[in-house]
Amino acid sequence: IQLSRAAFETNVSLFFIVAGVWFYLTCFVAKTKKSGILLSVSGICFGLAMFTYQNARIFVPLLVICLLFIYRKQLIKMRRALIGPTAVSVIFLLVLIPTFFSGGGQVRFNGISVFIDPKPQLRSQQLAEEDKVAGVGFGSILHNQRFAYIPQIIQNYFVHFNPEYLFFTADADTHHAPQVGLLYLWDLPFIVAGGYFLYKNKYPKEAKKIITVWFLLAAVGSSLTWEVPHALRTEIYLPTYQIFAAIGLFNLLVLSNHKKVVFVTLGTLLSLNFFYYIYQYFVHLPTDYSKAWFYGRAQAAQATEEIKSKYDKVVVSTSLQQPYMFWLYNVAYDPARYLQEGGTVSGGFAENNNHFEKYEFRQIDYENEIKYKTKILWVGTPKDFPTGVNIVKTIYYLNGEKAIIFVSHD
């Protein structure tokens, strides 16, 4: 609910991944003569998933390799049916690989990659120098800079299994409601029980392998980034938690001697948990997390339109996080005209020097810019300005905190 209502692209990616697995498994379970078509459709779904979200570009190839290995014996017997899906895979790879390694394709990865942080390498170098001083000859092997990021990646991986993160705190405010995690607390005992029953009971061995592989691979991509744990990058987990919970609930009901009582009790607990989430989502989230949802940008853009005629230019601080998009949209600036004027100059995380009409979107250097005779209206957060500035207008978050201020030196 939380992630789909915000239309995060990871939802589209997850849809195609689930569809890809479903078509793939149908080929073997249904034992149909159209196996080549099913495998081709599966390949198309997996290929589309890799074009919708970055994490899928790591997860999908790993999952597909595991699926091929699990069903290798069956695939060998149906070699003719593999012509179509092989062709589909080659086509997607020919398109995807150049895109991934292009300058534009690398912008996002370089912006979130754990490898952009120099601290692990510097620490490794420091330890190697200390070993030299201590006369330890193999210190350069133990603290090789090539392996400096491995401990961080491992730590990043396991933090995604933290129950506090999953059931109580989550990560970014945009990914959960106040005091609610990513999963219902009601699910916890059934997820644990589901894991137990899945491996204890006589479920198909292929199913056990697929669910296990899916669960273990889901956080691999996110572990290579610096902002962890991260709900969007690990929403790929979702089907496995649902399967674990369903298996746990089903088996506990089967074992129970009072199925109606247990069913009513659990249904009540689930309803209460769901109601609590919905209440937090619709009542408290808009107020408590208005800052996280960029409240005030629309109001600020509309307000600048009303008073911009009094100024030579309007400088909007990039501390408002890619504000040019909010202004373009909310002032309904003509896209054709915007592109004619040069369009978006910067990209990715290197946001600077975007502009249109009187608007400039960049960092504010108030102390130096105030010396100019140009009549400027500065728009930014309170932290962008020193104390004692002339505040023309203030926009507040819904919790009463100052969000955006307009400053002029008139």
Side-chain angles (χ1 to χ4, degrees):
I1 295 173
Q2 184 82 24
L3 302 185
S4 60
R5 289 195 83 227
F8 288 115
E9 60 268 40
T10 185
N11 293 285
V12 183
S13 175
L14 180 59
F15 166 79
F16 282 122
I17 290 170
V18 172
V21 173
W22 188 84
F23 281 112
Y24 182 84
L25 295 181
T26 301
C27 172
F28 303 103
V29 177
K31 296 180 181 179
T32 174
K33 294 181 180 179
K34 298 180 180 179
S35 55
I37 296 175
L38 290 171
L39 290 175
S40 297
V41 174
S42 175
I44 291 171
C45 290
F46 285 133
L48 291 173
M50 291 194 288
F51 279 94
T52 53
Y53 197 61
Q54 290 281 355
N55 195 34
R57 297 181 178 181
I58 296 174
F59 176 78
V60 168
L62 294 175
L63 179 64
V64 169
I65 290 171
C66 292
L67 289 173
L68 293 174
F69 180 78
I70 292 170
Y71 286 92
R72 62 191 182 281
K73 293 180 181 179
Q74 294 91 324
L75 290 169
I76 291 173
K77 296 177 181 178
M78 45 191 289
R79 288 188 291 271
R80 289 185 179 180
L82 300 180
I83 297 173
T86 301
V88 169
S89 301
V90 170
I91 292 171
F92 270 106
L93 287 174
L94 289 175
V95 176
L96 184 65
I97 291 175
T99 303
F100 182 76
F101 288 103
S102 67
Q106 288 290 300
V107 168
R108 178 67 179 174
F109 178 77
N110 291 334
I112 63 176
S113 171
V114 69
F115 302 109
I116 65 170
D117 183 4
K119 290 195 288 293
Q121 283 193 326
L122 294 174
R123 178 57 178 161
S124 181
Q125 185 179 356
Q126 180 186 353
L127 291 171
E129 292 296 328
E130 291 176 4
D131 288 337
K132 279 185 181 179
V133 174
V136 180
F138 53 84
S140 58
I141 299 174
L142 291 175
H143 305 298
N144 192 312
Q145 291 186 42
R146 294 179 181 86
F147 308 125
Y149 293 96
I150 291 178
Q152 184 64 56
I153 292 171
I154 294 173
Q155 181 182 344
N156 287 355
Y157 177 82
F158 283 105
V159 76
H160 290 92
F161 299 96
N162 187 341
E164 183 181 7
Y165 157 70
L166 291 171
F167 296 96
F168 297 100
T169 60
D171 53 329
D173 290 345
T174 50
H175 301 162
H176 70 110
Q179 298 180 315
V180 179
L182 301 173
L183 301 171
Y184 294 118
L185 184 59
W186 177 89
D187 278 330
L188 178 55
F190 302 109
I191 290 172
V192 175
Y196 170 76
F197 287 119
L198 175 65
Y199 301 107
K200 177 181 179 294
N201 293 356
K202 293 182 180 179
Y203 289 99
K205 60 181 181 179
E206 292 86 1
K208 293 182 180 182
K209 291 177 182 178
I210 292 169
I211 296 169
T212 302
V213 165
W214 195 319
F215 184 71
L216 294 177
L217 292 178
V220 170
S222 184
S223 66
L224 300 176
T225 64
W226 57 266
E227 192 178 23
V228 294
H230 199 288
L232 297 186
R233 296 171 196 157
T234 53
E235 193 191 11
I236 294 172
Y237 266 132
L238 198 52
T240 63
Y241 281 120
Q242 292 171 326
I243 291 169
F244 285 137
I247 291 173
L249 176 59
F250 174 78
N251 281 278
L252 289 173
L253 284 172
V254 168
L255 292 172
S256 173
N257 294 323
H258 305 282
K259 292 180 175 56
K260 290 184 179 179
V261 175
V262 173
F263 189 81
V264 171
T265 302
L266 295 179
T268 302
L269 291 174
L270 172 59
S271 298
L272 290 172
N273 202 170
F274 177 69
F275 173 78
Y276 180 74
Y277 165 72
I278 292 297
Y279 178 80
Q280 293 294 103
Y281 184 91
F282 285 105
V283 177
H284 290 287
L285 184 148
T287 300
D288 294 355
Y289 292 167
S290 61
K291 182 176 183 179
W293 287 102
F294 302 115
Y295 180 84
R297 271 59 167 184
Q299 293 85 343
Q302 292 158 5
T304 53
E305 277 292 285
E306 295 173 4
I307 60 175
K308 69 179 182 182
S309 60
K310 301 177 183 178
Y311 300 91
D312 297 320
K313 61 181 177 180
V314 180
V315 178
V316 183
S317 172
T318 49
S319 62
L320 293 174
Q321 295 175 280
Q322 299 175 321
Y324 71 96
M325 295 188 293
F326 294 97
W327 260 257
L328 284 168
Y329 179 80
N330 286 288
V331 306
Y333 199 71
D334 181 11
R337 182 180 174 187
Y338 178 63
L339 291 173
Q340 216 170 31
E341 294 171 352
T344 302
V345 178
S346 59
F349 291 85
E351 184 195 0
N352 208 4
N353 297 325
N354 291 312
H355 59 87
F356 69 90
E357 206 183 51
K358 285 187 175 183
Y359 295 101
E360 294 180 7
F361 303 90
R362 55 178 173 78
Q363 292 182 340
I364 292 176
D365 187 5
Y366 181 79
E367 297 290 354
N368 288 324
E369 293 175 18
I370 198 173
K371 301 172 185 176
Y372 304 139
K373 295 181 180 180
T374 308
K375 294 185 67 176
I376 303 175
L377 175 67
W378 291 279
V379 181
T381 68
K383 293 181 180 179
D384 287 317
F385 305 96
T387 56
V389 295
N390 178 36
I391 299 176
V392 178
K393 182 179 179 62
T394 302
I395 294 173
Y396 295 89
Y397 292 119
L398 295 177
N399 62 1
E401 180 186 348
K402 282 185 178 180
I404 300 171
I405 60 174
F406 292 23
V407 172
S408 171
H409 59 75
D410 291 347

Short mmCIF file of all heavy atoms in Angstrom, two decimals, residues 17-18 25 34 42 58 71 104 122 150 156 202 222 224 251 253 259 261 266 275 278 285 307 316 319 340 377 400:
data_model
loop_
_atom_site.label_atom_id
_atom_site.label_comp_id
_atom_site.label_asym_id
_atom_site.label_seq_id
_atom_site.Cartn_x
_atom_site.Cartn_y
_atom_site.Cartn_z
N ILE A 17 9.09 -9.20 -12.34
CA ILE A 17 9.87 -10.32 -11.78
C ILE A 17 8.94 -11.46 -11.39
O ILE A 17 9.19 -12.63 -11.74
CB ILE A 17 10.69 -9.85 -10.56
CG1 ILE A 17 11.82 -8.92 -11.01
CG2 ILE A 17 11.28 -11.05 -9.81
CD1 ILE A 17 12.54 -8.23 -9.88
N VAL A 18 7.86 -11.15 -10.70
CA VAL A 18 6.89 -12.17 -10.30
C VAL A 18 6.28 -12.83 -11.54
O VAL A 18 6.14 -14.06 -11.61
CB VAL A 18 5.79 -11.57 -9.40
CG1 VAL A 18 4.69 -12.59 -9.14
CG2 VAL A 18 6.38 -11.10 -8.08
N LEU A 25 7.74 -21.08 -14.25
CA LEU A 25 7.30 -22.27 -13.50
C LEU A 25 6.11 -22.95 -14.18
O LEU A 25 5.99 -24.18 -14.15
CB LEU A 25 6.92 -21.88 -12.07
CG LEU A 25 8.06 -21.36 -11.18
CD1 LEU A 25 7.56 -21.06 -9.79
CD2 LEU A 25 9.20 -22.37 -11.14
N LYS A 34 3.29 -25.64 -25.17
CA LYS A 34 3.68 -24.26 -25.50
C LYS A 34 4.81 -23.78 -24.60
O LYS A 34 4.88 -22.61 -24.24
CB LYS A 34 2.47 -23.34 -25.37
CG LYS A 34 1.33 -23.68 -26.33
CD LYS A 34 0.17 -22.73 -26.15
CE LYS A 34 -0.97 -23.07 -27.12
NZ LYS A 34 -2.13 -22.17 -26.94
N SER A 42 8.42 -15.33 -20.30
CA SER A 42 9.16 -15.20 -19.05
C SER A 42 10.41 -14.35 -19.26
O SER A 42 10.72 -13.45 -18.47
CB SER A 42 9.56 -16.58 -18.52
OG SER A 42 10.38 -16.47 -17.39
N ILE A 58 20.75 -6.38 -10.92
CA ILE A 58 21.61 -7.31 -10.18
C ILE A 58 20.82 -8.55 -9.80
O ILE A 58 21.29 -9.69 -9.98
CB ILE A 58 22.18 -6.64 -8.92
CG1 ILE A 58 23.10 -5.48 -9.33
CG2 ILE A 58 22.95 -7.64 -8.06
CD1 ILE A 58 23.60 -4.65 -8.17
N TYR A 71 16.23 -26.15 -12.72
CA TYR A 71 15.46 -26.93 -13.70
C TYR A 71 16.34 -27.36 -14.88
O TYR A 71 15.85 -27.56 -15.99
CB TYR A 71 14.28 -26.11 -14.21
CG TYR A 71 13.16 -25.99 -13.21
CD1 TYR A 71 13.11 -24.92 -12.33
CD2 TYR A 71 12.16 -26.95 -13.12
CE1 TYR A 71 12.09 -24.80 -11.39
CE2 TYR A 71 11.14 -26.85 -12.20
CZ TYR A 71 11.10 -25.77 -11.34
OH TYR A 71 10.10 -25.67 -10.41
N GLY A 104 25.36 8.15 -19.04
CA GLY A 104 24.08 8.39 -18.39
C GLY A 104 23.66 7.24 -17.51
O GLY A 104 23.09 7.42 -16.44
N LEU A 122 40.88 4.29 2.85
CA LEU A 122 41.82 5.06 3.67
C LEU A 122 42.13 4.33 4.97
O LEU A 122 43.28 4.31 5.43
CB LEU A 122 41.24 6.44 3.97
CG LEU A 122 41.07 7.38 2.76
CD1 LEU A 122 40.36 8.66 3.17
CD2 LEU A 122 42.44 7.70 2.16
N ILE A 150 34.58 -5.11 1.46
CA ILE A 150 33.88 -6.36 1.75
C ILE A 150 33.17 -6.34 3.11
O ILE A 150 31.99 -6.71 3.20
CB ILE A 150 34.84 -7.56 1.63
CG1 ILE A 150 35.24 -7.75 0.16
CG2 ILE A 150 34.19 -8.84 2.18
CD1 ILE A 150 36.22 -8.88 -0.07
N ASN A 156 26.05 -4.35 5.26
CA ASN A 156 24.89 -3.80 4.56
C ASN A 156 23.86 -4.89 4.24
O ASN A 156 22.65 -4.66 4.27
CB ASN A 156 25.32 -3.14 3.25
CG ASN A 156 26.04 -1.83 3.48
OD1 ASN A 156 26.15 -1.35 4.61
ND2 ASN A 156 26.56 -1.24 2.42
N LYS A 202 6.73 -31.71 3.50
CA LYS A 202 7.06 -32.24 2.18
C LYS A 202 6.55 -31.34 1.06
O LYS A 202 5.67 -31.73 0.27
CB LYS A 202 6.49 -33.65 2.03
CG LYS A 202 7.15 -34.67 2.96
CD LYS A 202 6.59 -36.06 2.74
CE LYS A 202 7.26 -37.07 3.66
NZ LYS A 202 6.71 -38.43 3.47
N SER A 222 21.05 -4.08 -2.91
CA SER A 222 21.03 -2.98 -1.94
C SER A 222 22.29 -2.94 -1.10
O SER A 222 22.72 -1.87 -0.66
CB SER A 222 19.80 -3.11 -1.04
OG SER A 222 19.70 -2.02 -0.16
N LEU A 224 25.20 -3.17 -1.99
CA LEU A 224 26.27 -2.49 -2.71
C LEU A 224 26.09 -0.98 -2.73
O LEU A 224 26.85 -0.27 -3.38
CB LEU A 224 26.32 -3.00 -4.16
CG LEU A 224 26.58 -4.50 -4.34
CD1 LEU A 224 26.51 -4.87 -5.81
CD2 LEU A 224 27.93 -4.89 -3.76
N ASN A 251 -0.40 -23.97 8.13
CA ASN A 251 0.03 -25.14 8.89
C ASN A 251 -0.39 -25.05 10.35
O ASN A 251 -0.74 -26.07 10.96
CB ASN A 251 1.54 -25.31 8.79
CG ASN A 251 1.96 -25.97 7.49
OD1 ASN A 251 1.93 -27.18 7.33
ND2 ASN A 251 2.33 -25.14 6.52
N LEU A 253 -3.08 -23.55 11.41
CA LEU A 253 -4.52 -23.82 11.42
C LEU A 253 -4.79 -25.32 11.28
O LEU A 253 -5.69 -25.87 11.91
CB LEU A 253 -5.20 -23.05 10.28
CG LEU A 253 -5.42 -21.56 10.51
CD1 LEU A 253 -5.93 -20.89 9.23
CD2 LEU A 253 -6.39 -21.31 11.64
N LYS A 259 -10.13 -24.76 15.15
CA LYS A 259 -9.84 -23.93 13.98
C LYS A 259 -10.67 -22.66 13.92
O LYS A 259 -10.17 -21.59 13.59
CB LYS A 259 -10.04 -24.75 12.70
CG LYS A 259 -9.01 -25.87 12.53
CD LYS A 259 -9.26 -26.64 11.26
CE LYS A 259 -8.17 -27.68 11.02
NZ LYS A 259 -8.01 -28.61 12.13
N VAL A 261 -12.06 -20.93 16.41
CA VAL A 261 -11.62 -19.99 17.44
C VAL A 261 -10.31 -19.32 17.02
O VAL A 261 -10.15 -18.10 17.13
CB VAL A 261 -11.44 -20.71 18.80
CG1 VAL A 261 -10.85 -19.76 19.83
CG2 VAL A 261 -12.75 -21.28 19.27
N LEU A 266 -7.21 -14.76 15.10
CA LEU A 266 -6.19 -14.22 14.19
C LEU A 266 -6.77 -13.17 13.26
O LEU A 266 -6.12 -12.17 12.96
CB LEU A 266 -5.58 -15.36 13.38
CG LEU A 266 -4.79 -16.41 14.18
CD1 LEU A 266 -4.26 -17.50 13.27
CD2 LEU A 266 -3.65 -15.76 14.94
N PHE A 275 -6.07 -1.79 10.84
CA PHE A 275 -6.72 -0.53 11.19
C PHE A 275 -5.71 0.46 11.75
O PHE A 275 -5.75 1.66 11.43
CB PHE A 275 -7.83 -0.76 12.21
CG PHE A 275 -8.43 0.51 12.75
CD1 PHE A 275 -9.35 1.23 12.00
CD2 PHE A 275 -8.06 1.00 14.00
CE1 PHE A 275 -9.89 2.41 12.48
CE2 PHE A 275 -8.59 2.19 14.48
CZ PHE A 275 -9.51 2.89 13.72
N ILE A 278 -3.70 1.91 8.86
CA ILE A 278 -4.50 2.85 8.08
C ILE A 278 -4.69 4.16 8.84
O ILE A 278 -4.63 5.26 8.26
CB ILE A 278 -5.87 2.23 7.71
CG1 ILE A 278 -5.67 1.08 6.72
CG2 ILE A 278 -6.82 3.27 7.14
CD1 ILE A 278 -5.09 1.50 5.39
N LEU A 285 0.49 10.50 9.27
CA LEU A 285 1.54 10.65 8.27
C LEU A 285 1.55 12.02 7.58
O LEU A 285 2.61 12.63 7.45
CB LEU A 285 1.43 9.53 7.23
CG LEU A 285 2.52 9.48 6.15
CD1 LEU A 285 2.79 8.04 5.73
CD2 LEU A 285 2.12 10.28 4.91
N ILE A 307 4.85 37.15 -7.34
CA ILE A 307 5.67 38.33 -6.98
C ILE A 307 6.95 38.46 -7.82
O ILE A 307 7.73 39.39 -7.61
CB ILE A 307 6.05 38.30 -5.48
CG1 ILE A 307 6.86 37.04 -5.16
CG2 ILE A 307 4.81 38.36 -4.62
CD1 ILE A 307 7.38 37.01 -3.71
N VAL A 316 16.47 29.92 -6.59
CA VAL A 316 15.90 28.86 -5.75
C VAL A 316 17.02 27.91 -5.34
O VAL A 316 17.76 27.39 -6.18
CB VAL A 316 14.79 28.09 -6.48
CG1 VAL A 316 14.17 27.06 -5.54
CG2 VAL A 316 13.73 29.05 -7.00
N SER A 319 19.11 23.10 -2.15
CA SER A 319 18.89 22.35 -0.91
C SER A 319 17.43 21.89 -0.80
O SER A 319 17.10 21.05 0.04
CB SER A 319 19.26 23.21 0.31
OG SER A 319 18.44 24.35 0.39
N GLN A 340 13.69 24.42 -25.71
CA GLN A 340 14.27 25.38 -26.64
C GLN A 340 15.32 26.24 -25.96
O GLN A 340 16.33 26.64 -26.56
CB GLN A 340 13.16 26.28 -27.20
CG GLN A 340 13.34 26.66 -28.65
CD GLN A 340 12.10 27.34 -29.20
OE1 GLN A 340 11.38 28.03 -28.48
NE2 GLN A 340 11.82 27.13 -30.48
N LEU A 377 15.25 37.73 -5.57
CA LEU A 377 14.42 37.05 -4.57
C LEU A 377 15.03 35.66 -4.37
O LEU A 377 15.11 34.87 -5.30
CB LEU A 377 12.98 36.92 -5.05
CG LEU A 377 12.05 36.12 -4.12
CD1 LEU A 377 11.84 36.86 -2.79
CD2 LEU A 377 10.71 35.83 -4.80
N GLY A 400 4.17 22.54 11.72
CA GLY A 400 4.51 23.85 12.25
C GLY A 400 5.95 24.27 12.04
O GLY A 400 6.32 25.42 12.30
#
